[in-house]
Amino acid sequence: MVEILLTKMNPKSCVLNERAKVTAVQITGYDIAAALSFGQLSKPAYYFARAKYCDDIQAAKKLEEHLIEFIHCEIVVNNWSLGEGSIIGITELLIEEGVYGVRCKKCKGNGNIYIKHNQLSSVEDCTRCSGSGFGAFSQRERARTANIPLTTWNRHWERNFQYLLGYIEELNSQLIRHMSKQFEFLN
């Protein structure tokens, strides 16, 4: 349930209860920030949450700095070879795909596609993104953004990038656990 609640958060206001017609809880970006401040949420997870759910540009920059440091550490630990331009490109990919999400190209981020049958038209969930509105970059786009040749990307970096995306997923898991504790009263 907390994942559903997090998707409804934005800095203006949001409805936290799924049964909004019965009772609605309105919160602001300040409320979200306050909930993030309580407890033991790690700094990277805090920056992730502020960037993703509060549209906080400062937090996005802090997250970017943290991810660059994280990638540098992983390069040393895993004996990867990667230039500075590629590190920045991979960081950009992590933020675009892991934090903000990439709009599905088929439905243009809407989640729905309109199908015309003779004179009638209907709305269906997009088959490419399963109605979420989000997709991923192609391997070619990823390689171009990371400044890595496509063959090198396919041989080595696609696997490494998935590993790095796992770190972003861990930050999201930390956030969900934290917010579950903060919003226990809603269950």
Side-chain angles (χ1 to χ4, degrees), residues 104-124:
C104 174
K105 290 180 181 177
K106 186 173 183 181
C107 67
K108 296 178 179 57
N110 188 16
N112 300 316
I113 54 174
Y114 298 95
I115 300 174
K116 198 169 189 175
H117 303 283
N118 297 330
Q119 298 293 337
L120 301 173
S121 62
S122 64
V123 178
E124 295 180 6

Side-chain angles (χ1 to χ4, degrees), residues 2 27 32 46 50 52 83 88 99 104 119 134 169 187:
V2 173
I27 66 170
I32 296 167
Y46 175 78
R50 291 289 306 230
K52 184 167 185 166
I88 292 170
V99 178
C104 174
Q119 298 293 337
F134 294 102
E169 290 169 13
N187 292 331

